[in-house]
Amino acid sequence: MDKYGLIGFPLKHSFSKDFFNKKFQSENINATYENFEIPDIKDLPAIIEENPNLRGLNVTIPYKEKAIPFLDDIDKTAKTIGAVNVIKINRQKGKAKLIGYNSDIIGFTRSIEPLLEPHHNKALVLGTGGAAKAIGHGLELLGIAPMYVTRQAKAGMLTYGDLTPEIMERYKVIVNCTPVGMYPNADDCPDMPYDCLTSDHLLYDLIYNPERTIFLKKGAAHKAIVKNGLEMLLLQAIASWEIWNK
């Protein structure tokens, strides 16, 4: 039986295992999907070795960038982004070849595109990790200029303290790519001036557990368009399956 899985830490928030196992059952696919909760990315080679029927992996926080040195090859788009969330495993003569891809960009662009209006031409991307890099690249493909927001000052980026009313008025799309507000810390939210939000704003949260984060609730309270990351998850999962089987 073929095996697929997810690597990350922690994984209690993830829906991928249920999604794929239900897909396999409903489509009579002879495969299983497991969570591999590893405290260190150095544990990845052991997972590959100990599971000879493992054909593919999804990668989540905090390993979307850290997994790259363990790959034998990387897709052009994933290389440009600098992050992977899909690993295809090709085995020949007992040796595994790992190839990295990024399906986050596919899931995100397909999910947010129907919500976009002409005035959505600049975006604040909260976070600078692997997911944020994919989102920034996806926004550029959609013709939206991304500006990254980070807790510590970095060249060419904004800090949360820089989010003045003028900045908030200029950037009408805000995407949360941090784990702030994710279960079990669902009472938290990114530190930004929510009072500056309007009905022209679009707030997108990659978090899908809880279904409506404080970030999204505060956006909705100011009539902003809001959406969580569940559809993105489903779309990137479907893209993952296509990558593993192409």
Side-chain angles (χ1 to χ4, degrees), residues 72-136:
D72 298 292
D73 200 1
I74 185 168
D75 170 74
K76 183 179 177 182
T77 300
K79 185 180 291 186
T80 300
I81 294 168
V84 302
N85 75 310
V86 181
I87 298 175
K88 183 175 183 177
I89 303 169
N90 291 333
R91 297 182 187 269
Q92 292 183 336
K93 298 179 180 178
K95 180 172 172 55
K97 181 180 180 181
L98 309 185
I99 308 167
Y101 298 84
N102 195 301
S103 68
D104 278 340
I105 189 171
I106 300 169
F108 173 70
T109 53
R110 290 179 182 173
S111 177
I112 197 173
E113 192 168 19
L115 305 177
L116 297 174
E117 302 286 349
H119 60 271
H120 292 142
N121 54 9
K122 292 181 186 294
L124 296 175
V125 179
L126 310 184
T128 57
K133 289 179 178 179
I135 296 318

Side-chain angles (χ1 to χ4, degrees), residues 128 148 150-159:
T128 57
Y148 294 92
T150 182
R151 286 174 295 180
Q152 297 178 334
K154 294 181 182 179
M157 300 182 185
L158 298 175
T159 65

Side-chain angles (χ1 to χ4, degrees), residues 24-60:
F24 297 155
Q25 186 174 9
S26 65
E27 298 179 21
N28 292 316
I29 297 169
N30 188 29
T32 185
Y33 191 101
E34 297 182 16
N35 283 347
F36 297 98
E37 191 173 72
I38 55 175
D40 196 306
I41 191 61
K42 292 177 183 177
D43 296 329
L44 176 58
I47 289 173
I48 304 298
E49 187 174 343
E50 293 166 7
N51 296 273
N53 55 339
L54 191 63
R55 291 190 56 201
L57 288 167
N58 286 121
V59 185
T60 190

